[in-house]
């Protein structure tokens, strides 16, 4: 596959929860090096879309491909879809990294234990090598001193940086962020955003759901505005924030500023 | 009356009953430990069946725990022991084998384990449900297989929630071994009864047996406290 193969490609994605249609046909492409910021009001479907990319939610219809490989899906009895090939699912998932709003670190493992867990258990890397690599990424997020700490004994900002290190350790094709700073005390937001900013500057592929508009404007190469389960507007950040067309988006930006 | 007690009856060798008492005690510990371990295995299977199994597995686990919890333990033990060994022998016969004589220890462990498993299923089920789903989702999102998620994340994360209940079950296991006296196991209670009957020193022997049960509990408590500290590593001190 050449460089033009999209890291993430979503084609006509629909998602229903019972009778509630949350995603109503979303198509989105993230090329290697793209930083896609996803913005939109509460309940517009941002998290659901992001969670479909690694199949934490299964789409009701539509295709998703990671680096050119489309998830094999089969219909379920209730009219939805489910992954048809468990091995493929695990293989693709191992190439993605997700950073959650609530960190979701494993509380019974130390910082180092959290970071080496996936390389050792899923990628089959030797423990020594995983530890060496983990120390590098922990250093990058400023947690070199904390490798023996348990998550519960750290601040929210430290926990989220650890979660980012856990993702970096798998060297993912694309990183998925779901409001990584929303659960943080205001004074801790900056340290996490700075780490993400550095990663964006390195041209790492990421899809980032965020309410931090000025941050999105800074780091994104592409901004997507979701409204009621549809992409209402998308484009480069200057256009989305500087010259929004849709009245909803204009109102959304005013309301948040 | 206390002065009249002849402590030499507790001597380890022959006119004394101490050796027999200790042997019975060891047998009790074996039965309890074996039954407890079997109960843990059954409990883990039962809890995963209830939480993640299909309809059939869920129903089987449901009926099993209902039965165990509704019927008195002594009745269950008699049922498992007599009906269980009988069934096993019939099964062996059907396959053209000799009716085997399962030894007493295995039968006792099986009987205690089946009872323990019912309660352990509920303890583990509650503990697994207390694990924040996000921790499990994170493991799935990184491509862990369902079995690995269970082994690396769900089970260790639920352990601190399960430990108080499982500590209780261990105490119950040690005391349930006494019920096996009814079936004729020469565990501590039955041996004590024999010793007391032979010497007419009821107080002495039952008091000694009580002390042995108490010692087991106290020692277990130390171990359980250590385990709990270990399992709670990384959890906030409070709660
Ligand atoms: N598991 C679920 N079952 C039923 N409805 C759900 C489920 N998950 C999400 N929804 C609904 O889907 C809609 C979109 O939810 P989603 O979490 O994707 O929104 P969001 O854009 O991420 O919002 P927020 O900014 O508040 O995080 C909401 O109406 C929500 O109630
Ligand atoms: Mg959300």
């Amino acid at each position: 596959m050449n460089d033009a193969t999209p890291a993430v490609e979503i084609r006509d994605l629909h998602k229903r929860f019972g009778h509630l249609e949350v995603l109503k046909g979303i198509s989105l492409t993230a090329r290697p090096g793209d930083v896609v910021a996803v913005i939109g009001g509460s309940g517009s479907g941002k998290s659901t879309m992001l969670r479909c990319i690694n199949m934490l939610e299964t789409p009701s219809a539509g295709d998703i491909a990671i680096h050119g490989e489309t998830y094999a899906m089969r219909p379920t009895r209730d009219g939805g879809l489910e992954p048809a090939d468990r091995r493929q699912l695990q293989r693709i998932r191992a190439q993605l990294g997700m950073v959650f709003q609530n960190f979701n670190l494993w509380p019974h493992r130390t910082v180092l234990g959290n970071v080496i867990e996936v390389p050792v258990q899923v990628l089959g890397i030797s423990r020594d090598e995983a530890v060496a690599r983990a120390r590098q990424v922990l250093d990058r997020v400023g947690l070199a001193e904390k490798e023996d700490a348990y998550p519960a004994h750290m601040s929210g900002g430290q926990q989220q940086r650890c979660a980012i290190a856990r993702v970096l350790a798998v060297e993912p094709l694309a990183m998925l962020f779901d409001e990584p700073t929303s659960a943080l005390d205001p004074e801790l937001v900056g340290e996490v955003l700075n780490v993400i900013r550095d990663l964006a500057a390195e041209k790492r592929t990421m899809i980032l759901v965020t309410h931090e508009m000025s941050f999105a404007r800074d780091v994104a190469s592409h901004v997507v505005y979701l409204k009621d389960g549809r992409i209402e507007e998308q484009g480069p950040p200057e256009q989305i924030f500087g010259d929004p067309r849709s009245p909803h988006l204009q109102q959304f930006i005013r309301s948040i500023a | 009356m206390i002065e009249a007690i002849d402590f030499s009856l507790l001597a380890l060798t022959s006119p004394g009953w101490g050796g027999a008492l200790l042997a019975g005690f060891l047998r009790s510990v074996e039965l309890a430990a074996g039954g407890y371990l079997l109960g843990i295995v059954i409990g883990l299977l039962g809890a995963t069946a209830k939480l993640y199994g299909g309809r059939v597995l869920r129903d089987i686990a449901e009926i099993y725990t209902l039965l165990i919890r509704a019927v008195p333990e002594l009745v269950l033990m008699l049922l498992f022991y007599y009906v269980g060994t009988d069934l096993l022998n019939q099964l062996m016969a059907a396959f053209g084998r000799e009716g085997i004589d399962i030894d007493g220890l295995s039968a006792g462990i099986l009987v205690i384990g089946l009872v323990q498993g019912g309660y352990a299923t509920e303890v583990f089920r509650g503990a697994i449900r207390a694990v924040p789903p996000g921790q499990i989702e994170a493991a799935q999102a990184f491509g862990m297989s369902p079995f690995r998620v269970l082994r690396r994340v769900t089970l260790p994360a639920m352990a601190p929630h399960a430990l108080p209940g499982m500590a209780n079950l261990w105490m119950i296991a040690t005391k349930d071994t006494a019920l096996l006296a009814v079936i004729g196991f020469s565990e501590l209670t039955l041996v004590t009864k024999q010793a007391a009957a032979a010497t007419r020193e009821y107080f002495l022997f039952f008091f000694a047996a009580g002390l042995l049960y108490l010692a087991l509990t106290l020692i277990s408590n130390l171990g359980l406290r250590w385990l709990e500290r270990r399992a709670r590593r990384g959890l906030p001190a409070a709660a």
Side-chain angles (χ1 to χ4, degrees):
Chain A
M1 303 255 167
N2 58 36
D3 261 6
T5 310
V8 177
E9 189 171 16
I10 303 173
R11 287 180 295 257
D12 200 25
L13 173 65
H14 291 256
K15 175 64 182 176
R16 269 184 303 276
F17 289 111
H19 291 297
L20 178 70
E21 187 166 36
V22 175
L23 300 178
K24 301 168 180 162
I26 289 196
S27 298
L28 181 68
T29 301
R31 271 167 232 296
D34 279 355
V35 176
V36 178
V38 180
I39 61 173
S42 186
S44 57
K46 307 181 296 293
S47 297
T48 306
M49 184 196 83
L50 201 69
R51 290 163 56 84
C52 281
I53 295 174
N54 57 13
M55 293 287 149
L56 285 182
E57 299 289 358
T58 49
S60 306
D63 284 324
I64 295 173
I66 308 300
H67 198 57
E69 183 172 7
T70 305
Y71 285 105
M73 304 297 285
R74 64 172 168 228
T76 56
R77 244 175 284 158
D78 56 7
L81 295 173
E82 66 181 9
D85 180 348
R86 191 155 272 297
R87 293 191 169 281
Q88 184 208 37
L89 175 68
Q90 284 162 19
R91 188 176 66 243
I92 296 181
R93 277 175 164 176
Q95 299 175 306
L96 297 169
M98 185 173 246
V99 175
F100 300 83
Q101 189 171 338
N102 298 313
F103 329 133
N104 291 343
L105 293 169
W106 297 303
H108 50 286
R109 300 191 193 288
T110 60
V111 165
L112 188 69
N114 268 274
V115 177
I116 64 170
E117 179 69 7
V118 181
V120 171
Q121 295 293 326
V122 179
L123 306 179
I125 292 169
S126 79
R127 211 191 129 84
D128 288 345
E129 200 184 328
V131 167
R133 199 148 100 189
R135 295 213 164 105
Q136 283 174 14
V137 295
L138 283 172
D139 194 37
R140 288 224 39 190
V141 302
L143 288 179
E145 251 74 280
K146 286 279 179 189
E147 66 171 61
D148 291 324
Y150 284 95
H153 304 148
M154 304 197 301
S155 74
Q158 290 171 327
Q159 290 187 53
Q160 193 62 300
R161 284 185 282 138
C162 176
I164 294 173
R166 178 171 70 171
V167 165
L168 289 176
V170 306
E171 292 176 1
L173 279 172
M175 304 175 69
L176 312 173
F177 292 85
D178 192 0
E179 301 195 33
T181 57
S182 293
L184 298 178
D185 292 337
E187 73 271 18
L188 301 176
V189 168
E191 64 188 65
V192 171
L193 291 185
N194 284 338
V195 170
I196 301 174
R197 196 189 311 269
D198 289 348
L199 298 174
E202 283 176 10
K203 294 251 162 218
R204 297 204 185 233
T205 316
M206 45 178 105
I207 301 180
L208 170 73
V209 173
T210 185
H211 283 301
E212 301 279 339
M213 291 307 142
S214 63
F215 180 68
R217 187 177 191 148
D218 268 9
V219 303
S221 56
H222 192 81
V223 181
V224 170
Y225 170 61
L226 274 193
K227 164 85 181 151
D228 294 337
R230 289 198 177 81
I231 295 182
E232 183 154 305
E233 194 165 333
Q234 58 181 316
E238 310 80 55
Q239 179 201 317
I240 295 293
F241 294 109
D243 182 24
R245 315 261 154 83
S246 115
H248 288 132
L249 176 56
Q250 290 167 1
Q251 199 194 346
F252 177 71
I253 288 173
R254 265 203 310 278
S255 75
I256 233 155
Chain B
M1 173 194 160
I2 299 281
E3 306 90 83
I5 290 179
D6 178 5
F7 285 99
S8 73
L9 285 173
L10 290 175
L12 288 181
T13 46
S14 204
W17 285 81
L21 235 54
L22 277 184
F25 176 65
L26 282 185
R27 177 45 59 106
S28 288
V29 173
E30 276 177 327
L31 286 166
Y36 186 66
L37 288 181
L38 179 61
I40 288 178
V41 173
I42 296 177
L44 289 175
L45 291 175
T48 38
K50 275 197 177 187
L51 290 170
Y52 310 116
R55 278 263 328 253
V56 180
L57 281 178
R58 271 207 316 265
D59 286 351
I60 293 175
E62 209 63 60
I63 291 168
Y64 167 64
T65 50
L66 182 72
L67 190 84
I68 296 291
R69 296 193 296 172
V71 180
E73 255 138 83
L74 185 56
V75 176
L76 283 173
M77 289 186 172
L78 292 170
L79 189 80
F80 288 147
Y81 185 69
Y82 290 115
V83 180
T85 46
D86 208 41
L87 273 182
L88 211 60
N89 278 331
Q90 279 181 18
L91 208 69
M92 296 307 269
F95 282 102
R97 300 276 184 78
E98 295 275 306
I100 48 149
D101 208 19
I102 39 173
D103 67 294
L105 185 62
S106 312
I109 286 175
L110 196 72
V111 164
I112 291 188
L114 280 171
V115 173
Q116 288 266 314
Y119 294 95
T121 296
E122 288 308 306
V123 170
F124 288 139
R125 188 176 67 104
I128 290 176
R129 293 194 51 173
V131 177
Q135 290 169 21
I136 293 165
E137 269 189 351
Q140 292 167 337
F142 279 109
M144 275 196 205
S145 66
F147 178 70
R148 212 176 280 266
V149 173
L150 200 64
R151 191 165 64 83
R152 300 291 303 177
V153 177
T154 315
L155 295 185
M158 69 95 177
H161 304 290
L163 258 172
M166 289 312 292
N168 243 335
L169 275 185
W170 167 246
M171 303 297 165
I172 293 174
T174 60
K175 287 185 286 183
D176 273 3
T177 56
L179 294 178
L180 290 174
V182 176
I183 313 177
F185 279 81
S186 26
E187 44 65 65
L188 182 54
T189 300
L190 188 63
V191 174
T192 308
K193 209 173 122 203
Q194 290 164 346
T199 59
R200 309 247 150 228
E201 291 286 357
Y202 290 94
F203 177 77
L204 173 69
F205 283 108
F206 279 104
F207 191 73
L211 284 181
L212 283 173
Y213 281 118
L214 184 65
L216 179 59
T217 301
L218 291 178
I219 293 169
S220 308
N221 271 342
L222 290 180
L224 288 167
R225 215 165 300 152
W226 177 82
L227 264 181
E228 193 158 347
R229 252 201 320 274
R230 222 183 108 82
R232 294 191 59 84
R233 261 181 333 182
L235 292 191

